[in-house]
Amino acid sequence: MNDFLIPQFQWNSLSYLTSRAGRVGTQELTELMESESLTRNHFMIVCALAEFGPMSQNDLAKHSNLNRGHLVAYLDELADRKILERSVDPSDRRRNIITLTAAGKKFTARATAAAERSEAEVFGALDAKQQETLRTLLQLVAIKDGEAR
């Protein structure tokens, strides 16, 4: 039994509880990213590239839900680590195409596995049906906030 008691407001707060589950559910990923001096925003970028393939910086900003102004700095950091590369778009030389490197694909697989392990541990308290119900409900909240899939 745990002697730590939180205030009733937090115990009943959906925002607090989802934030806590999110923090615990990404703990291993966070530790991995910090060990690489990277952030979750970097992870969002490599996940988008892994799923959707090479794309322009503008498209990457949309797929990762990151501000275009901040994206360039993240891309610079990932390029410095040889996780991605930029090349000139042959159809429009004013535009860069961003691509994961082989090392980037390995890094993405490692980071995704870390995220999956943390999530499995924290949500292991729920059976598969409960996890799917929670996922669906949280997706509805994300949709209301403008996210799309």
Side-chain angles (χ1 to χ4, degrees):
M1 179 148 150
N2 191 347
D3 291 332
F4 176 70
L5 298 175
I6 65 171
Q8 190 68 42
F9 179 83
Q10 278 77 15
W11 186 246
N12 291 324
S13 168
L14 293 173
S15 296
Y16 172 81
L17 294 170
T18 54
S19 175
R20 184 179 189 289
R23 187 179 69 252
V24 175
T26 59
Q27 185 171 349
E28 190 173 339
L29 171 64
T30 299
E31 290 169 2
L32 171 68
M33 298 305 287
E34 287 176 354
S35 75
E36 299 280 340
S37 299
L38 297 171
T39 67
R40 289 186 196 170
N41 289 335
H42 293 101
F43 180 64
M44 291 172 66
I45 291 167
V46 297
C47 284
L49 290 169
E51 182 172 342
F52 300 110
M55 67 184 85
S56 70
Q57 288 181 198
N58 279 342
D59 288 340
L60 184 54
K62 293 174 191 172
H63 284 298
S64 61
N65 197 24
L66 293 172
N67 178 295
R68 281 186 235 150
H70 297 133
L71 182 62
V72 172
Y74 296 130
L75 295 177
D76 288 344
E77 292 163 346
L78 291 168
D80 288 346
R81 290 171 172 77
K82 310 292 188 224
I83 291 172
L84 60 77
E85 60 188 12
R86 294 180 178 111
S87 59
V88 174
D89 184 345
S91 66
D92 183 349
R93 300 197 53 77
R94 298 170 294 176
R95 189 167 53 180
N96 282 324
I97 297 296
I98 313 302
T99 307
L100 278 179
T101 63
K105 291 175 184 176
K106 289 178 185 174
F107 172 77
T108 303
R110 219 167 24 105
T112 301
E116 289 170 344
R117 284 190 300 272
S118 288
E119 187 170 305
E121 183 166 330
V122 74
F123 292 106
L126 306 176
D127 65 31
K129 185 175 180 183
Q130 290 170 323
Q131 288 181 31
E132 187 56 35
T133 298
L134 178 60
R135 182 178 295 108
T136 300
L137 293 171
L138 292 173
Q139 288 168 343
L140 289 172
V141 172
I143 289 167
K144 184 178 184 303
D145 191 43
E147 295 268 338
R149 175 72 188 138

